[in-house]
Amino acid sequence: MPRTKGYPEALDKKLADTRLYEDERHPEFTKTVEKLSMSIPHMCYQCGTCTASCPSAPRSSYRIRKFVRRALLGLEEEALTDPDLWLCTTCYSCTDRCPRDIAPTDVIMAMRNLAFKRDIIPVNFLKTVQAIYTTGHGVPNNDVNRAARKKLGMNPEPPTTHAFPQYVKGIQKIIDYYELKKNADRIVKEREG
Amino acid sequence: MREYAFFLGCIAPNRYPGAESASYKTAEKLGIKLLDLEGASCCPAPGAFGSISLEIWYAMAARNLCLAEQMKKDIALICNGCYKSIWEVNHKLKHHKELKEKVNEVLKTIDMEFKGTIDVWHLAELFYDPEIVGVQKIRDSVKVSLEGTRIAVHYGCHLMKPRKERHFGTTEHPTWLEEMVGALGAEPVEYRNKMLCCGAGGGVRGYDLVHSLDITNEKMINLKEARVDALTEVCPFCQLQFDRGQIEIEEKFGVKYNLPVLHYCELLGLAQGMSPQELALDLHGISCEPFLQKVL
Ligand code: SF4
Ligand code: SF4
């Protein structure tokens, strides 16, 4: 299967050089990732069990072991700018099998959170936020479905925020508390015009 | 009759309403009443939302939990993704005081408070639990035996994994859902790499559809090898990935499988005598006809 996402050129060059440069290490990155993930990537001994368990590994250049290494060495730039960061399906196979009791999945989630703080995020993630902000649902109702629900003798709108839209306000308040909608709109606009 | 607040999520009510309808009806026959959880929202999607900000994901899921707390009912749900958000956030907030305080600060702005007074269950685990329903009662409720059909099970990821946080035992080779399929008269069939992910999660379906479908395709190859009549699962998002995904796989890779994919509640509904119309099986991307012909 062809790769559908390429590496940025600079990162490609960087990865060809496997030496570790002290000035690229940010120990606070390790600490932040550990706090956010509630896990312990510094305990990793690079056995590769995680990569061997990973459904994304055989069909891409994504290597979860590499990301855990980046977490433990504090290689922030390399971790957050690598587009493979977004290929984890969060299946938790690595987490169930890691012999050091690390949760590589949660390490990835923590890194994604940190990437987002720097506006590094694929737009599809933001579009889910926009949908939830507007309707309460990430996958909202549609006419075909409404007709089918009616035929089943159900309310065309499920008893969620769809039938009770007055609840959407609370959801918007939570999202706005973190200014997430504002940022999502801004980034989507920057990318898509 | 035990009562639970039914957390619907998005994909069941908005894409597979038959699965929702079947849940109310099958559960009721097994002594479980599912009540509307008015004003519930997306769980929110653990992959998409959690990747952006775990903190906001906690707060959003907590709002849904508060609605059930107000009803003084435990939550039952039928989606692994919802389980990840609703079960896990409930669990985390109950056990991390600092986290709970942070979330409650936000919830205060909408006059809500997470108290930690309820539990969250997947309907499938309630069905399996002998103290609540149990396999024997499922067997006794069958009107139309699924005898003569070979059915494979997809467990999905976010119900049972991470194993240490959950309570389902092995995630390498579980068999409890197979037992529940066997109770309907069907033959549960093992297949290669059964615990492999459907490929949709973590935002990957939206980020890189081909990559995501390639994982699904690997599962489809393994399922084909096992010569099954249908695949059953307990997660509408996995269902979408296998069902609509087969159409996308045909478009992208040029292979066709035509394997019917049914949520366990739909399958149970059939076995309890619901008609394909009552289950809105015509909304499925892949026709269930060949399977239905063997059954009805
Ligand atoms: S399985 Fe655990 S110890 Fe082994 S490389 Fe992966 S994270 Fe490190
Ligand atoms: S959770 Fe992510 S990194 Fe771990 S095995 Fe699954 S896809 Fe790979």
Side-chain angles (χ1 to χ4, degrees):
Chain A
M1 191 201 65
R3 264 193 78 79
T4 52
K5 305 268 183 239
Y7 269 139
E9 210 178 310
L11 185 69
D12 213 12
K13 261 201 201 133
K14 171 77 204 61
L15 293 178
D17 179 0
T18 52
R19 284 170 293 181
L20 177 65
Y21 296 93
E22 202 49 40
D23 61 349
E24 288 178 2
R25 298 184 55 189
H26 303 282
E28 72 282 6
F29 179 66
T30 309
K31 286 199 193 113
T32 318
V33 168
E34 299 211 326
K35 189 161 186 266
L36 268 173
S37 65
M38 302 188 200
S39 183
I40 41 169
H42 76 272
M43 296 293 283
C44 169
Y45 52 26
Q46 290 286 292
C47 68
T49 303
C50 47
T51 291
S53 303
C54 179
S56 276
R59 39 190 55 86
S60 72
S61 48
Y62 173 56
R63 300 291 178 265
I64 176 63
R65 179 195 53 76
K66 209 147 102 182
F67 278 93
V68 181
R69 177 177 182 272
R70 289 161 175 171
L72 87 90
L73 292 175
L75 299 174
E76 176 174 354
E77 214 41 44
E78 212 181 292
L80 302 190
T81 56
D82 187 338
D84 287 346
L85 177 61
W86 308 93
L87 283 179
C88 168
T89 69
T90 68
C91 76
Y92 281 90
S93 292
C94 52
T95 300
D96 272 8
R97 290 177 182 162
C98 172
R100 298 289 277 172
D101 242 344
I102 296 155
T105 321
D106 294 333
V107 169
I108 288 292
M109 292 303 275
M111 286 178 174
R112 286 181 176 183
N113 277 207
L114 294 171
F116 173 66
K117 289 203 170 133
R118 291 172 44 177
D119 283 3
I120 303 173
I121 180 101
V123 279
N124 66 292
F125 290 76
L126 301 171
K127 287 184 174 165
T128 304
V129 172
Q130 290 173 324
I132 296 175
Y133 190 89
T134 321
T135 65
H137 282 287
V139 181
N141 208 351
N142 59 33
D143 284 341
V144 175
N145 190 66
R146 283 187 194 99
R149 293 184 63 92
K150 227 171 161 179
K151 241 166 79 188
L152 290 174
M154 305 164 90
N155 186 333
E157 301 294 350
T160 58
T161 48
H162 275 331
F164 301 92
Q166 62 270 32
Y167 284 91
V168 175
K169 228 190 206 124
I171 291 163
Q172 294 179 341
K173 262 196 175 162
I174 295 175
I175 294 177
D176 286 337
Y177 183 92
Y178 299 95
E179 300 194 337
L180 178 55
K181 174 69 167 33
K182 204 176 100 196
N183 282 319
D185 288 350
R186 175 181 54 79
I187 299 170
V188 171
K189 200 161 164 231
E190 276 166 18
R191 303 264 178 90
E192 298 186 344
Chain B
M1 197 70 93
R2 287 170 189 265
E3 294 188 338
Y4 295 86
F6 188 17
F7 182 82
L8 294 173
C10 295
I11 307 206
N14 297 333
R15 292 295 177 273
Y16 295 105
E20 178 189 337
S21 176
S23 303
Y24 292 112
K25 292 184 182 163
T26 55
E28 186 132 5
K29 287 201 171 117
L30 297 171
I32 291 176
K33 191 159 177 53
L34 297 174
L35 309 168
D36 287 353
L37 183 56
E38 287 178 11
S41 67
C42 178
C43 55
F49 231 98
S51 293
I52 290 172
S53 162
L54 291 164
E55 203 181 335
I56 313 181
W57 176 64
Y58 294 140
M60 293 280 287
R63 191 197 70 95
N64 286 320
L65 285 158
C66 289
L67 294 172
E69 284 185 356
Q70 286 165 3
M71 283 171 77
K72 297 194 172 57
K73 298 284 177 216
D74 279 5
I75 285 179
L77 46 78
I78 56 168
C79 169
N80 290 3
C82 297
Y83 194 82
K84 164 90 184 159
S85 294
I86 304 296
W87 186 91
E88 193 163 307
V89 171
N90 193 37
H91 184 79
K92 284 220 161 85
L93 295 185
K94 276 187 182 180
H95 291 94
H96 297 268
K97 211 173 142 233
E98 197 190 321
L99 213 67
K100 180 175 143 181
E101 280 165 7
K102 250 178 147 178
V103 162
N104 272 336
E105 246 172 66
V106 189
L107 290 177
K108 218 163 68 198
T109 64
I110 57 168
D111 299 319
M112 280 180 145
E113 186 191 352
F114 173 88
K115 297 199 175 77
T117 49
I118 59 149
D119 287 317
V120 179
W121 309 94
H122 195 298
L123 191 57
E125 68 176 315
L126 297 176
F127 283 171
Y128 186 71
D129 187 342
E131 278 172 27
I132 305 208
V133 176
V135 176
Q136 187 54 46
K137 256 203 201 149
I138 296 178
R139 194 175 288 122
D140 294 342
S141 76
V142 171
K143 284 215 179 85
V144 182
S145 168
L146 306 186
E147 216 182 309
T149 61
R150 293 165 56 80
I151 299 180
V153 171
H154 172 75
Y155 282 82
C157 299
H158 296 130
L159 177 59
M160 299 163 64
K161 294 189 273 187
R163 172 174 42 88
K164 281 185 200 115
E165 277 181 27
R166 306 284 203 266
H167 45 272
F168 290 87
T170 176
T171 53
E172 293 292 347
H173 191 211
T175 53
W176 60 278
L177 273 174
E178 275 84 353
E179 275 178 61
M180 284 173 38
V181 166
L184 310 180
E187 179 191 345
V189 180
E190 289 288 348
Y191 60 103
R192 194 192 300 264
N193 209 358
K194 170 170 92 175
M195 295 311 285
L196 178 66
C197 163
C198 73
V204 177
R205 184 181 161 81
Y207 175 59
D208 190 339
L209 182 64
V210 172
H211 180 100
S212 143
L213 290 172
D214 196 56
I215 300 175
T216 319
N217 194 35
E218 182 178 334
K219 289 222 62 147
M220 294 308 304
I221 291 168
N222 296 341
L223 286 160
K224 190 178 173 190
E225 192 180 77
R227 291 177 291 107
V228 292
D229 299 307
L231 174 69
T232 189
E233 31 59 37
V234 286
C235 173
F237 196 36
C238 298
Q239 177 162 340
L240 189 88
Q241 181 73 359
F242 285 116
D243 180 46
R244 308 274 160 98
Q246 283 183 64
I247 299 169
E248 294 159 335
I249 285 175
E250 194 190 341
E251 275 167 27
K252 307 264 181 207
F253 309 145
V255 256
K256 221 176 172 152
Y257 296 99
N258 288 332
L259 179 68
V261 183
L262 292 105
H263 193 281
Y264 183 79
C265 288
E266 295 176 322
L267 204 63
L268 177 60
L270 274 178
Q272 288 183 348
M274 286 174 78
S275 70
Q277 290 74 29
E278 282 175 285
L279 294 163
L281 292 184
D282 56 321
L283 277 189
H284 284 220
I286 299 296
S287 165
C288 297
E289 261 323 300
F291 174 70
L292 293 173
Q293 272 167 19
K294 281 200 166 181
V295 177
L296 304 175

